[in-house]
Amino acid sequence: MLRKIRITLATVMMFLITWLLLDFTGMTHRWLGWVAKIQFLPAVLALNLVVVAALVLLTLVFGRIYCSVICPLGIFQDLVSSLNRKKNRFRGSPELRWLRYGVLVLFVAALLAGIGSVVALLAPYSAYGRMVNNLLQPFYIWANNGLAAIAEHYDSYAFYSREVWLKSLPTFIVAVTTFVVLVVLAWRGGRTYCNTICPVGTVLGFLARFSWFKVYIDTEKCRNCSLCSKNCKASCIDFKNHRVDHSRCVTCGNCLEKCEFGALHYGHPKKQASTQPVDEPKPDAARRAFLVGGAIVAADAALAQAGKKVDGGLAAIEEKKVPHRTTPITPPGSLSARHMAQHCTGCQLCVAQCPNDVLRPSSDLKTLMQPIMSYERGYCRPECHRCSQVCPTGAISPIGHAVKASTQIGHAVWVKENCVVITDGVSCGNCARHCPSGAIMMVPVDPDDDTSPMVPAVDRSRCIGCGACEFLCPARPFSAIYVEGHEQHQTI
Amino acid sequence: MNMEEKKILSRRAFIKALGLGGAAVAAPAIVGCATGEKHESAEEPPVGKMTYRVNPNTGDRVSLLGYGMMRLPTVDSQASAREDGDAEIDQEMVNRQVDYAIEHGVNYFDTSPAYCKGRSEHCTGIALSRHKREEYFIATKLSNFNPETWSRAASIHMFENSLKELQVTYIDYLLLHAIGGGADGMEEFNNRYINNGILQYLIDQHSKGIIRNLGFSYHGDIAVFDHALAMHDRGEVHWDFVQIELNYLDWKHAKEINDRNTDAEYLYAELVKRDIPAVIMEPLLGGRLAKLPDPLAQRLLKRDPEHSVASWAFRYAGTYPKVLTVLSGMTFMEHLKDNLLTYSPLVPLTDDEMLFLEGVASDLVSYNTVPCNDCKYCMPCPYGIDIPAIFVHYNKCLSENNAPHDRMDPEYASRRRAFLVGYDRAVEKMRQADHCIGCGQCERHCPQRIKIPSELHKISDFVEQLRREKPGHAAAHGHHAALKH
């Protein structure tokens, strides 16, 4: 029964959170944003005390049920593990306490030191977000684009197509590596990652030792058949000594169903009974395969996104290149580079949601996988503040349009050598025309000659660093006006 | 069959509006008709009923419908050769349509060395050479698009090449192509035709009978038009005919479309004064008069449910008695059939109907569409903007009455979405109006003299305004900036 409830809840949660991470339309976060915000580490970083308290309480009452039904990475590993049909493949093993706590210490240290890359690498929810964003979202978008093509054929505007592009190679590699490592670990040993590396698992495991409800073995009924041990994906049952390591038990309920003698119970242990082992089980047909189905459904569908562009009389457009920015730009709401580094776990939710293709994971070693901005494909449009709405960790705190419009995240810099007014001898002014804060003025290139060509001059006190000028600048591959980030955001 | 053709006709109207000349393949109907079966059908044009006009100079009996060979069909039929410059022209279809046209009385074929990337004359020559020379009149031009062809030698080569490509020994109607264009129309006219003595050369060919009628086509600077007619008045040249743009919008509203344009009313009157026959181009204004905004189309259809919206424009042009022929670039068989029906024979518009169309025209002007007819002369934009695609999308939304301009409209949200999604579909992001830097290099190429950069900036502002609204939060206080310019 416990197992069935767990699987049902896990399925629902997995579906919702995956959908949230796949979505690019901005429709889901209003309804589903909470599934990211109840994740433990994001809640801690966001100082979301209500959620943290609730999760602590949950764990103190029910054990590490969080790891089974809320953490998407945990559910993902269960899914992989259940695909391995080899029966009775687990065995109880001792806790690798030094490793668990060692990683936890390292993690906390990195967190305090603001080394975002280490945090991002270890945080479970973020690891999952990264995998979905890098490995699954492309297929989701391709499928969407297939639908968009069909919709276009029928003059429907229900779907619109999006471009799929590699936002950051290092992050992609990390995502692939994480995926492979986790699949191997889960396939072979179930919850190995959760019980040796995952810092959240370690913290919750510590609490779970004292949980009110827990799995325990009734020594009177136990026949020491070892089935429970052999089916415990957390390898936490020592059937010989009738002991369950509650710090590693994720309350999945598998052992309860396996036991043929009714020796395993979930509940508050009776005074004396406490921890002792038991018995034999029956094989269990893992039905969770359908979960895989759900996750992979989006995968097939459209590969037919051929670029059918009749470029008869169109001039070729050179792709823009990322300029060298002395200071990276972080999104409005992130307050400062430091705040971002200390709070972001690199889950990629904001990157997945950014409708203007501005956000992408950083490739810098210290802030690896945390979002930075660049304007080759679009700019930070005034009507959008979606990243700040979805961020579960408070790395990008929620801001309204008005606040965004007055938040200076950087400032524009004019590069004379690139400007088409100089290079092509044409009149332009596209940067000034599109500047949403009116920070760009067109002035004669020769201050003494009012008839000389007009070039942009930036009023830094009004520039918010949105990148409209950079994106819309006709100079290619490097724009003649680009944005330098500010370490500390300011209000203008 | 009947049903099918009707479907095709409405599709055709749609296609024309897009300026695509046809995105759809109408193969079944065309095949059916070409087999020569006779149908009891209102859609089948009669043989031997074509209206003719007489050219006072040569006595030519010219069919009122002239075949423009500018938008020839291509093999894949996805677009005419105009739209897809590299597509192979479907010679078999050209032949079939030319045969059909001749069979139904069309005898005026208008081409140019510039059309279809220079392939139109060749294909026209192939199709027409299968008929007796006295069965058709051929019109071609001394084109001027590429300054490299402006020298005397190159011009003479161009003319002689036309004879060769068209497989003829004489040209019935030869035109100076699109005088009045360019940044300085007058200067360009002089450089192209006068200073190199090429006009004199053509006059000589005319007296030798190699050119039977000499004329010009005109777009743009009115000074050049007046100048050319003054030359006629002074006896320096005799224009046997002049090709002008005339339709019920351009008659009185050319200035409202663009203040640098000249009303057809003036142009036509000047020709009548001198008894010069007028050849009419753009009777549909690049297809815009075939696909009117819905309420206007309904008005026309209500008045005459049995005829196409386009037929009104053809009847209008044909009603003027000094019009020699009305050109139509007919890519598909159904274009041809519809026009043949209109002119076999022409039923001239009554005064009342003329007034009615004038009412339609003044309403049409108020739709504020950009007068682009997708000729693509402005392209390529050096900064990559897809100018005609932007205008086509914008016009389409406006004329379908689908533009999101009234936030109180219950359908505002869906119209906004359709406009923005449709815009992204029609025009690549990097080629949209917001990337126009206003360098103005396109402007002098536009035969409609549209102020392209400022129109693009208006559209860009309109799009920006739409994008900034939060969908579903349509506030009641709107500034409809771009739409009410």
Side-chain angles (χ1 to χ4, degrees):
Chain A
M1 186 60 186
L2 176 66
R3 182 172 170 270
K4 283 191 182 116
I5 293 171
R6 191 257 306 170
I7 290 176
T8 309
L9 288 177
T11 307
V12 170
M13 186 56 102
M14 176 87 156
F15 174 76
L16 294 183
I17 204 157
T18 306
W19 191 21
L20 176 71
L21 286 160
L22 285 174
D23 176 57
F24 56 88
T25 63
M27 283 192 308
T28 51
H29 78 258
R30 262 170 245 166
W31 317 105
L32 296 180
W34 62 272
V35 296
K37 289 177 181 160
I38 59 166
Q39 299 297 320
F40 186 76
L41 189 59
V44 170
L45 288 168
L47 293 180
N48 195 339
L49 295 179
V50 177
V51 170
V52 174
L55 289 178
V56 167
L57 198 64
L58 182 78
T59 309
L60 284 175
V61 174
F62 295 106
R64 276 174 68 185
I65 201 154
Y66 170 89
C67 299
S68 276
V69 300
I70 298 179
C71 174
L73 200 71
I75 304 171
F76 170 74
Q77 292 174 82
D78 285 352
L79 181 75
V80 172
S81 181
S82 71
L83 293 177
N84 186 342
R85 296 309 183 82
K86 196 174 152 198
K87 287 174 193 164
N88 302 331
R89 64 198 167 93
F90 301 109
R91 64 193 60 228
S93 64
E95 182 189 6
L96 296 175
R97 197 172 284 206
W98 57 272
L99 183 56
R100 296 180 83 180
Y101 289 101
V103 173
L104 181 62
V105 168
L106 178 74
F107 182 81
V108 173
L111 201 58
L112 295 178
I115 306 172
S117 46
V118 175
V119 175
L121 209 55
L122 295 174
Y125 154 72
S126 298
Y128 183 73
R130 205 148 53 227
M131 294 193 305
V132 171
N133 184 245
N134 278 275
L135 309 179
L136 206 51
Q137 204 196 30
F139 295 99
Y140 184 78
I141 295 180
W142 280 323
N144 166 78
N145 290 356
L147 292 175
I150 295 167
E152 186 171 357
H153 182 76
Y154 290 105
D155 267 342
S156 152
Y157 299 97
F159 296 92
Y160 59 90
S161 64
R162 276 297 294 269
E163 201 181 335
V164 175
W165 55 291
L166 182 61
K167 288 167 179 152
S168 159
L169 185 62
T171 302
F172 180 76
I173 293 170
V174 168
V176 172
T177 312
T178 313
F179 179 78
V180 171
V181 167
L182 279 176
V183 165
V184 170
L185 286 181
W187 181 269
R188 298 177 53 179
R191 292 288 194 128
T192 308
Y193 170 85
C194 308
N195 286 333
T196 50
I197 297 169
C198 179
V200 176
T202 306
V203 169
L204 294 182
F206 176 76
L207 295 173
R209 286 178 206 272
F210 312 107
S211 68
W212 192 42
F213 280 23
K214 45 181 70 159
V215 173
Y216 63 94
I217 300 169
D218 184 342
T219 39
E220 314 232 315
K221 291 184 181 165
C222 175
R223 310 265 178 91
N224 285 14
C225 73
S226 85
L227 261 189
C228 54
S229 257
K230 286 176 178 163
N231 285 283
C232 174
K233 64 199 180 199
S235 308
C236 68
I237 305 175
D238 175 2
F239 72 94
K240 285 179 190 149
N241 299 315
H242 297 177
R243 223 176 298 177
V244 178
D245 178 355
H246 296 113
S247 81
R248 286 182 290 155
C249 172
V250 292
T251 335
C252 71
N254 287 2
C255 54
L256 306 183
E257 291 200 2
K258 286 292 173 186
C259 183
E260 291 179 338
F261 309 107
L264 277 152
H265 302 286
Y266 176 66
H268 187 58
K270 283 157 202 158
K271 284 267 163 77
Q272 277 188 341
S274 113
T275 46
Q276 274 113 28
V278 194
D279 69 85
E280 328 139 27
K282 259 180 244 156
D284 167 48
R287 227 168 307 156
R288 276 161 286 173
F290 99 99
L291 251 179
V292 185
I296 297 175
V297 153
D300 12 303
L303 286 167
Q305 213 244 26
K308 198 181 154 195
K309 284 160 197 153
V310 189
D311 274 22
L314 294 172
I317 292 183
E318 193 180 353
E319 274 198 23
K320 284 211 178 181
K321 289 187 183 155
V322 183
H324 175 72
R325 304 182 207 273
T326 329
T327 312
I329 320 168
T330 54
S334 61
L335 308 178
S336 67
R338 188 182 151 81
H339 180 88
M340 172 62 85
Q342 285 180 334
H343 289 79
C344 173
T345 61
C347 74
Q348 312 301 314
L349 185 52
C350 56
V351 173
Q353 289 276 346
C354 179
N356 301 306
D357 289 331
V358 167
L359 288 174
R360 73 270 321 262
S362 160
S363 298
D364 182 87
L365 215 53
K366 260 187 89 179
T367 56
L368 192 69
M369 300 178 280
Q370 298 186 341
I372 53 164
M373 302 168 82
S374 202
Y375 305 123
E376 294 76 51
R377 293 161 180 270
Y379 65 98
C380 192
R381 292 197 43 89
E383 74 278 5
C384 176
H385 55 176
R386 215 192 279 169
C387 55
S388 83
Q389 306 297 309
V390 297
C391 179
T393 68
I396 314 174
S397 43
I399 53 170
H401 296 109
V403 175
K404 171 174 171 171
S406 58
T407 301
Q408 185 178 53
I409 59 171
H411 67 269
V413 180
W414 181 53
V415 185
K416 186 176 183 180
E417 300 75 51
N418 293 350
C419 186
V420 293
V421 175
I422 310 293
T423 59
D424 297 10
V426 292
S427 64
C428 179
N430 214 34
C431 47
R433 193 175 304 117
H434 291 280
C435 178
S437 41
I440 302 178
M441 223 179 355
M442 296 306 287
V443 298
V445 68
D446 175 0
D448 300 324
D449 178 8
D450 279 353
T451 59
S452 62
M454 303 293 271
V455 293
V458 182
D459 178 354
R460 289 197 185 175
S461 66
R462 301 177 76 177
C463 175
I464 56 169
C466 71
C469 52
E470 181 178 330
F471 172 64
L472 294 167
C473 175
R476 287 165 185 278
F478 290 106
S479 295
I481 190 161
Y482 80 102
V483 177
E484 265 300 341
H486 286 180
E487 263 185 52
Q488 180 76 45
H489 295 181
Q490 290 162 40
T491 302
I492 54 167
Chain B
M1 187 65 189
N2 209 352
M3 282 288 287
E4 193 157 26
E5 286 203 358
K6 271 193 179 141
K7 239 189 275 168
I8 290 162
L9 273 173
S10 68
R11 204 187 300 163
R12 167 230 172 171
F14 167 74
I15 285 158
K16 275 201 162 180
L18 289 182
L20 280 179
V25 192
I30 291 171
V31 172
C33 299
T35 54
E37 290 169 49
K38 297 281 176 270
H39 299 273
E40 289 294 314
S41 162
E43 301 287 339
E44 193 68 28
V47 176
K49 301 278 191 204
M50 173 60 69
T51 297
Y52 290 90
R53 294 278 162 80
V54 176
N55 177 346
N57 300 299
T58 51
D60 291 346
R61 270 183 87 244
V62 178
S63 60
L64 191 52
L65 179 62
Y67 208 134
M69 310 302 280
M70 178 192 240
R71 300 174 191 259
L72 297 179
T74 55
V75 170
D76 66 0
S77 291
Q78 291 299 305
S80 80
R82 189 89 190 287
E83 281 67 47
D84 184 355
D86 297 322
E88 192 188 337
I89 292 176
D90 188 347
Q91 184 67 49
E92 199 184 322
M93 191 55 75
V94 175
N95 292 352
R96 194 186 286 172
Q97 288 174 190
V98 165
D99 294 350
Y100 190 88
I102 290 181
E103 182 191 336
H104 288 79
V106 173
N107 62 9
Y108 189 97
F109 294 84
D110 175 82
T111 179
S112 131
Y115 292 167
C116 305
K117 280 204 171 167
R119 295 167 299 166
S120 170
E121 282 189 338
H122 182 72
C123 297
T124 307
I126 292 173
L128 287 177
S129 63
R130 296 153 53 256
H131 294 268
K132 289 190 205 128
R133 183 65 183 90
E134 58 274 19
E135 275 182 5
Y136 59 88
F137 302 116
I138 201 138
T140 191
K141 312 186 177 78
L142 204 60
S143 296
N144 55 2
F145 297 107
N146 184 352
E148 283 169 25
T149 62
W150 290 10
S151 74
R152 183 178 169 86
S155 303
I156 292 173
H157 174 76
M158 187 192 279
F159 176 68
E160 285 172 350
N161 192 57
S162 290
L163 291 172
K164 192 178 120 210
E165 295 287 9
L166 290 163
Q167 306 183 36
V168 293
T169 53
Y170 61 89
I171 302 288
D172 299 282
Y173 293 81
L174 191 101
L175 300 91
L176 310 186
H177 200 167
I179 69 169
D184 182 338
M186 208 60 170
E187 192 186 327
E188 193 159 319
F189 174 71
N190 285 328
N191 286 339
R192 175 69 189 97
Y193 297 111
I194 308 298
N195 300 342
N196 57 7
I198 218 58
L199 179 59
Q200 193 53 50
Y201 169 81
L202 295 176
I203 292 171
D204 294 345
Q205 300 303 308
H206 186 265
S207 48
K208 283 188 214 160
I210 295 177
I211 295 173
R212 295 183 57 243
N213 294 277
L214 183 60
F216 64 83
S217 66
Y218 158 79
H219 278 290
D221 188 349
I222 190 64
V224 181
F225 179 81
D226 290 337
H227 176 70
L229 291 187
M231 289 168 72
H232 177 91
D233 296 341
R234 292 196 295 269
E236 294 165 25
V237 60
H238 177 83
W239 301 120
D240 300 305
F241 68 105
V242 168
Q243 185 164 314
I244 56 170
E245 183 170 322
L246 183 151
N247 51 61
Y248 59 83
L249 201 62
D250 271 314
W251 188 252
K252 274 185 194 300
H253 300 280
K255 286 252 182 295
E256 285 164 69
I257 300 170
N258 185 318
D259 54 17
R260 287 170 297 184
N261 285 354
T262 306
D263 286 341
E265 186 177 25
Y266 171 80
L267 304 178
Y268 179 74
E270 289 298 303
L271 299 182
V272 170
K273 251 191 241 171
R274 296 166 174 86
D275 202 24
I276 300 174
V279 172
I280 303 307
M281 57 183 161
E282 301 285 3
L284 287 176
L285 200 52
R288 289 213 290 145
L289 303 184
K291 172 68 180 174
L292 293 172
D294 287 347
L296 298 181
Q298 279 162 20
R299 249 155 81 188
L300 295 188
L301 290 171
K302 210 168 144 192
R303 187 145 175 157
D304 181 0
E306 289 176 30
H307 293 99
S308 66
V309 169
S311 73
W312 281 93
F314 281 99
R315 284 178 65 203
Y316 181 86
T319 297
Y320 291 97
K322 286 291 176 191
V323 167
L324 186 64
T325 185
V326 179
L327 298 177
S328 175
M330 298 167 281
T331 306
F332 298 116
M333 188 61 100
E334 57 273 16
H335 300 172
L336 176 57
K337 285 189 172 184
D338 189 39
N339 293 342
L340 286 170
L341 275 170
T342 307
Y343 283 157
S344 300
L346 163 76
V347 181
L349 294 176
T350 62
D351 289 350
D352 188 42
E353 284 171 325
M354 284 294 229
L355 270 175
F356 168 67
L357 278 190
E358 167 53 28
V360 171
S362 50
D363 285 0
L364 185 55
V365 170
S366 68
Y367 274 86
N368 286 322
T369 50
V370 181
C372 168
N373 51 32
D374 197 19
C375 74
K376 296 185 171 59
Y377 290 169
C378 54
M379 298 292 284
C381 160
Y383 294 97
I385 315 298
D386 193 348
I387 301 165
I390 294 166
F391 289 153
V392 164
H393 173 70
Y394 183 73
N395 284 350
K396 185 169 167 247
C397 291
L398 247 59
S399 57
E400 284 173 358
N401 227 5
N402 252 336
H405 57 261
D406 179 8
R407 298 192 205 190
M408 300 300 283
D409 178 354
E411 282 177 54
Y412 180 81
S414 69
R415 284 182 176 168
R416 176 184 174 275
R417 183 181 175 90
F419 187 94
L420 291 177
V421 173
Y423 187 45
D424 287 343
R425 282 177 187 170
V427 190
E428 254 180 277
K429 204 171 164 190
M430 298 294 170
R431 301 190 184 282
Q432 294 183 351
D434 52 0
H435 283 84
C436 168
I437 67 167
C439 71
Q441 294 180 51
C442 47
E443 216 171 327
R444 62 198 168 89
H445 298 298
C446 177
Q448 300 296 322
R449 318 200 97 200
I450 300 167
K451 292 173 182 160
I452 295 173
S454 85
E455 293 293 340
L456 286 178
H457 291 161
K458 268 183 222 162
I459 293 174
S460 166
D461 289 347
F462 177 60
V463 171
E464 183 64 22
Q465 176 205 326
L466 289 183
R467 282 190 179 146
R468 286 199 188 183
E469 286 163 21
K470 294 304 285 176
H473 293 262
H477 49 274
H479 10 260
H480 323 145
L483 277 176
K484 302 285 177 194
H485 56 259

